[in-house]
Amino acid sequence: QVQLVESGGGSVQAGGSLRLSCAASAYATVYCMGWFRQAPGKEREGVAVINNVGRITYADSVKGRFTLSKDNGLQLDSLKPEDTAMYYCATTQGVAWPRCPLDENRYKYWGQGTQVTVSS
Protein backbone atom coordinates (compact mmCIF):
# COMPACT_ATOMS: atom_id res chain seq x y z
CA GLN A 1 0.00 0.00 0.00
CA VAL A 2 1.35 3.41 -0.98
CA GLN A 3 0.07 6.60 0.62
CA LEU A 4 0.29 9.92 -1.20
CA VAL A 5 -0.15 13.36 0.33
CA GLU A 6 -0.38 16.47 -1.84
CA SER A 7 0.31 20.04 -0.80
CA GLY A 8 0.81 23.45 -2.35
CA GLY A 9 -2.53 24.27 -3.93
CA GLY A 10 -4.13 27.68 -3.60
CA SER A 11 -5.71 30.62 -5.35
CA VAL A 12 -3.86 32.85 -7.80
CA GLN A 13 -4.63 35.30 -10.54
CA ALA A 14 -4.15 34.43 -14.19
CA GLY A 15 -0.48 34.50 -15.12
CA GLY A 16 0.58 33.51 -11.62
CA SER A 17 2.47 30.47 -10.38
CA LEU A 18 2.10 27.67 -7.86
CA ARG A 19 4.16 24.65 -6.91
CA LEU A 20 2.52 21.38 -5.94
CA SER A 21 4.29 18.69 -3.93
CA CYS A 22 3.51 15.03 -3.40
CA ALA A 23 4.93 12.96 -0.57
CA ALA A 24 4.89 9.20 -1.11
CA SER A 25 5.21 6.62 1.64
CA ALA A 26 7.17 4.22 -0.57
CA TYR A 27 8.75 3.84 -4.00
CA ALA A 28 9.23 0.64 -5.94
CA THR A 29 12.29 0.16 -8.14
CA VAL A 30 10.16 0.79 -11.20
CA TYR A 31 7.16 3.07 -11.17
CA CYS A 32 5.17 5.81 -12.81
CA MET A 33 4.10 8.83 -10.81
CA GLY A 34 2.47 12.07 -11.69
CA TRP A 35 -0.40 14.49 -11.60
CA PHE A 36 -3.98 14.45 -12.78
CA ARG A 37 -6.69 17.05 -12.45
CA GLN A 38 -10.45 17.25 -12.43
CA ALA A 39 -12.42 20.40 -13.04
CA PRO A 40 -16.08 20.68 -11.97
CA GLY A 41 -18.32 18.83 -14.38
CA LYS A 42 -15.40 17.34 -16.31
CA GLU A 43 -13.60 14.03 -16.37
CA ARG A 44 -10.26 13.62 -14.67
CA GLU A 45 -7.35 14.14 -17.06
CA GLY A 46 -3.64 13.48 -17.00
CA VAL A 47 -1.38 16.51 -16.59
CA ALA A 48 2.21 15.24 -16.30
CA VAL A 49 3.77 11.92 -15.38
CA ILE A 50 7.30 10.61 -14.83
CA ASN A 51 8.86 7.15 -14.69
CA ASN A 52 11.68 5.89 -12.49
CA VAL A 53 14.34 6.85 -15.06
CA GLY A 54 13.06 10.40 -15.32
CA ARG A 55 11.19 10.31 -18.61
CA ILE A 56 8.35 12.83 -18.49
CA THR A 57 5.12 13.05 -20.45
CA TYR A 58 3.01 16.21 -20.49
CA ALA A 59 -0.51 16.83 -21.63
CA ASP A 60 -0.57 19.17 -24.65
CA SER A 61 -2.60 21.71 -22.69
CA VAL A 62 0.21 22.30 -20.17
CA LYS A 63 3.36 21.93 -22.28
CA GLY A 64 5.65 24.91 -21.84
CA ARG A 65 3.80 26.09 -18.71
CA PHE A 66 4.04 23.22 -16.23
CA THR A 67 7.24 21.48 -15.16
CA LEU A 68 7.39 18.12 -13.41
CA SER A 69 10.51 17.33 -11.40
CA LYS A 70 12.09 14.03 -10.42
CA ASP A 71 10.69 14.35 -6.87
CA ASN A 72 7.21 14.63 -8.42
CA GLY A 73 6.91 18.31 -7.61
CA LEU A 74 4.82 20.15 -10.20
CA GLN A 75 5.64 23.77 -11.00
CA LEU A 76 2.66 25.57 -12.49
CA ASP A 77 3.51 28.79 -14.36
CA SER A 78 1.50 31.10 -16.60
CA LEU A 79 -1.67 29.80 -15.02
CA LYS A 80 -4.98 30.24 -16.81
CA PRO A 81 -8.54 30.16 -15.45
CA GLU A 82 -9.05 26.87 -17.29
CA ASP A 83 -6.34 25.32 -15.10
CA THR A 84 -8.74 25.58 -12.16
CA ALA A 85 -9.27 22.05 -10.85
CA MET A 86 -8.60 19.60 -8.06
CA TYR A 87 -5.10 18.24 -8.66
CA TYR A 88 -4.31 14.67 -7.67
CA CYS A 89 -1.01 12.88 -7.25
CA ALA A 90 -1.04 9.26 -8.39
CA THR A 91 1.35 6.38 -8.79
CA THR A 92 1.57 2.85 -10.08
CA GLN A 93 4.39 0.66 -8.85
CA GLY A 94 6.24 -2.41 -10.06
CA VAL A 95 5.61 -1.89 -13.79
CA ALA A 96 8.37 -0.56 -16.05
CA TRP A 97 6.80 1.79 -18.59
CA PRO A 98 9.21 3.22 -21.17
CA ARG A 99 6.87 6.22 -21.22
CA CYS A 100 4.24 6.55 -18.51
CA PRO A 101 0.67 6.80 -19.71
CA LEU A 102 -1.62 9.73 -18.98
CA ASP A 103 -4.52 7.31 -18.59
CA GLU A 104 -5.84 7.47 -15.00
CA ASN A 105 -6.94 3.85 -15.19
CA ARG A 106 -3.28 2.78 -15.17
CA TYR A 107 -2.68 4.25 -11.72
CA LYS A 108 -3.44 2.35 -8.55
CA TYR A 109 -2.67 4.75 -5.70
CA TRP A 110 -4.10 8.23 -5.35
CA GLY A 111 -3.81 11.16 -2.99
CA GLN A 112 -6.74 13.16 -1.66
CA GLY A 113 -6.12 16.10 -3.96
CA THR A 114 -5.24 19.76 -3.62
CA GLN A 115 -7.33 22.59 -5.07
CA VAL A 116 -5.92 25.06 -7.59
CA THR A 117 -8.08 28.07 -8.41
CA VAL A 118 -7.07 30.63 -11.04
CA SER A 119 -9.06 33.84 -11.33
CA SER A 120 -9.16 36.07 -14.41
Side-chain angles (χ1 to χ4, degrees), residues 16-37:
S17 298
L18 287 170
R19 179 172 174 81
L20 307 183
S21 297
C22 176
S25 61
Y27 284 92
T29 303
V30 292
Y31 62 85
C32 282
M33 180 173 283
W35 292 88
F36 295 74
R37 67 185 181 185

Side-chain angles (χ1 to χ4, degrees), residues 49-67:
V49 291
I50 186 170
N51 67 7
N52 50 285
V53 296
R55 191 165 190 180
I56 300 172
T57 302
Y58 292 101
D60 289 342
S61 59
V62 306
K63 283 180 181 177
R65 300 189 300 119
F66 291 8
T67 303

Side-chain angles (χ1 to χ4, degrees), residues 11-13 30 32-33 37 43 48 52-53 55 57-58 71-72 74-75 81 87 93-95 99 104-105 114 118-119:
S11 297
V12 296
Q13 291 189 328
V30 292
C32 282
M33 180 173 283
R37 67 185 181 185
E43 294 185 351
N52 50 285
V53 296
R55 191 165 190 180
T57 302
Y58 292 101
D71 64 358
N72 203 37
L74 185 66
Q75 179 68 34
Y87 283 70
Q93 309 258 321
V95 177
R99 182 179 288 278
E104 63 167 324
N105 295 307
T114 185
V118 185
S119 58

Side-chain angles (χ1 to χ4, degrees), residues 34-115:
W35 292 88
F36 295 74
R37 67 185 181 185
Q38 187 168 21
K42 295 187 177 182
E43 294 185 351
R44 189 155 55 186
E45 62 175 356
V47 175
V49 291
I50 186 170
N51 67 7
N52 50 285
V53 296
R55 191 165 190 180
I56 300 172
T57 302
Y58 292 101
D60 289 342
S61 59
V62 306
K63 283 180 181 177
R65 300 189 300 119
F66 291 8
T67 303
L68 183 62
S69 58
K70 180 68 173 175
D71 64 358
N72 203 37
L74 185 66
Q75 179 68 34
L76 291 68
D77 295 316
S78 302
L79 282 161
K80 304 176 181 179
E82 51 263 43
D83 294 318
T84 295
M86 185 70 79
Y87 283 70
Y88 297 91
C89 178
T91 187
T92 185
Q93 309 258 321
V95 177
W97 292 91
R99 182 179 288 278
C100 294
L102 287 169
D103 178 0
E104 63 167 324
N105 295 307
R106 300 290 189 175
Y107 293 79
K108 182 176 181 179
Y109 302 105
W110 292 83
Q112 293 299 308
T114 185
Q115 178 68 37

